[in-house]
Every structure is written in structure tokens, then in C-alpha cells.
């Protein structure tokens, strides 16, 4: 099986990094209820409402991981597995109508809780991943192989 055919799909997914949101949605954040505007992330990368951050590798990280693995076939197999689990994670997030934000694995994101605490999460260490933020607690890096369990445990908290 020639796994190199999946490389274009990886680069297409890599390009999908715009923020996703539902304009005009009413969001409950603790006791606060507010209308959401068109963006979930402000210009300064501060997130204030419950959401899932879908992180996919940028081209620099792809090159780094490929070089570290030193085995093209293993790299493409691993990438194919990651893409499968990420697709399953997105399907689940869609099914529960979660707010989603797509980001590349670079920089960081700040999360502000309803109680005023701020948490900073670096994205450049995630090859593929999903961060969950419930608005009350420190955000978590979910297990993409079992996102449903992490989502139910953390977001329903």
C-alpha cells in the first residue's frame, strides 16, 4: 500500500485553521448567558467560552516529526492513524454541537475562566490533538483515541 498518497490530505487539513463558530448562538458560561458574535477567538488568542480546539500540525512540525521518525512508511502510517482519530473526534464534536476552533500547532492560546483565572496552553508540542475547555476549569488535552469519554467527563463537569 502506497501511503504517500495521503500526504496531500495532510496538507489540506493543515490549511484548515480558521476559527469556527456559530454566529448569533446563545452561550451559557456558568451563570452568564451571552450572544456570541462571529468569532470565537479574539485577535489576542483569548478564549472565553467552552469549546474544543482542534490542533493539526504545521509544515515545520510535519518535517520535524518525519525527520525524527527516520522511516517514511512509519511516518505515513502514524499520520494516517492520527487523521482517522481526528476525523472521528470531529464527528463526535459535531454530534454534540460543540463549539470548535481549528488551529495549527504553533504559538499558544489563553483561556479565561468565568472565575477570572487564565491558563496558557502551547500548541507547538501537539502533532495532532484536541484541547477541551469547559469555561470553569483548566483546559485539558483530550485523548483523541477516546474523545467521547474525555468530553463527557470534562465538559459535563
Amino acid at each position: 500500500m502506497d501511503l504517500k498518497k495521503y500526504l496531500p490530505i495532510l496538507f489540506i487539513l493543515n490549511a484548515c485553521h480558521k476559527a469556527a463558530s456559530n454566529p448569533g448562538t446563545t452561550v451559557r458560561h456558568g451563570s452568564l448567558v451571552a450572544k456570541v458574535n462571529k468569532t470565537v477567538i479574539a485577535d489576542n488568542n483569548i478564549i472565553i467560552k467552552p469549546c474544543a480546539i482542534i490542533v493539526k500540525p504545521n509544515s515545520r512540525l510535519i518535517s520535524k516529526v518525519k525527520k525524527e521518525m527516520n522511516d517514511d512508511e512509519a511516518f505515513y502510517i502514524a499520520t494516517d492513524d492520527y487523521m482517522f482519530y481526528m476525523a472521528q473526534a470531529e464527528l463526535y464534536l459535531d454530534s454534540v454541537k460543540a463549539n470548535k476552533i481549528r488551529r495549527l500547532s504553533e504559538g499558544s492560546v489563553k483561556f479565561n475562566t468565568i472565575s477570572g483565572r487564565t491558563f496558557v496552553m502551547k500548541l507547538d508540542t501537539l502533532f495532532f490533538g484536541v484541547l477541551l475547555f469547559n469555561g470553569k476549569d483548566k483546559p485539558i488535552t483530550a485523548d483523541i483515541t477516546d474523545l467521547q469519554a474525555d468530553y463527557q467527563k470534562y465538559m459535563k463537569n
Side-chain angles (χ1 to χ4, degrees):
M1 174 192 270
D2 183 18
L3 296 173
K4 291 183 182 180
K5 67 183 178 185
Y6 293 106
L7 191 58
I9 295 170
L10 179 63
F11 288 109
I12 289 169
L13 288 173
N14 195 25
C16 298
H17 64 277
K18 293 189 177 183
S21 66
N22 296 323
T25 301
T26 300
V27 174
R28 297 188 191 313
H29 189 68
S31 61
L32 179 70
V33 177
K35 281 284 197 184
V36 178
N37 63 14
K38 291 184 179 182
T39 59
V40 176
I41 290 187
D43 290 334
N44 53 3
N45 288 331
I46 297 176
I47 298 172
I48 59 169
K49 69 177 193 173
C51 64
I53 310 284
I54 298 162
V55 181
K56 296 185 178 170
N58 61 15
S59 58
R60 188 171 13 108
L61 187 57
I62 291 169
S63 297
K64 179 183 174 188
V65 170
K66 188 174 180 182
K67 185 177 179 180
E68 286 174 356
M69 289 185 79
N70 201 23
D71 180 352
D72 281 354
E73 186 174 348
F75 171 78
Y76 291 113
I77 290 170
T79 300
D80 187 46
D81 289 347
Y82 276 117
M83 289 172 33
F84 170 78
Y85 286 116
M86 291 298 288
Q88 294 299 310
E90 287 212 50
L91 285 173
Y92 176 73
L93 292 169
D94 287 343
S95 76
V96 295
K97 297 180 178 23
N99 290 314
K100 296 183 296 182
I101 301 168
R102 290 175 179 80
R103 290 290 308 263
L104 291 178
S105 56
E106 54 192 33
S108 61
V109 177
K110 289 182 184 179
F111 297 87
N112 285 346
T113 66
I114 193 151
S115 65
R117 293 182 299 165
T118 300
F119 298 97
V120 178
M121 303 276 297
K122 292 187 178 201
L123 303 177
D124 53 2
T125 58
L126 293 173
F127 189 56
F128 284 92
V130 176
L131 301 176
L132 297 176
F133 179 57
N134 65 9
K136 300 178 283 187
D137 304 307
K138 180 179 180 177
I140 64 165
T141 303
D143 176 1
I144 63 169
T145 64
D146 193 11
L147 180 73
Q148 183 174 356
D150 281 356
Y151 186 90
Q152 292 295 323
K153 182 178 177 184
Y154 174 77
M155 296 298 274
K156 303 298 181 180
N157 189 357

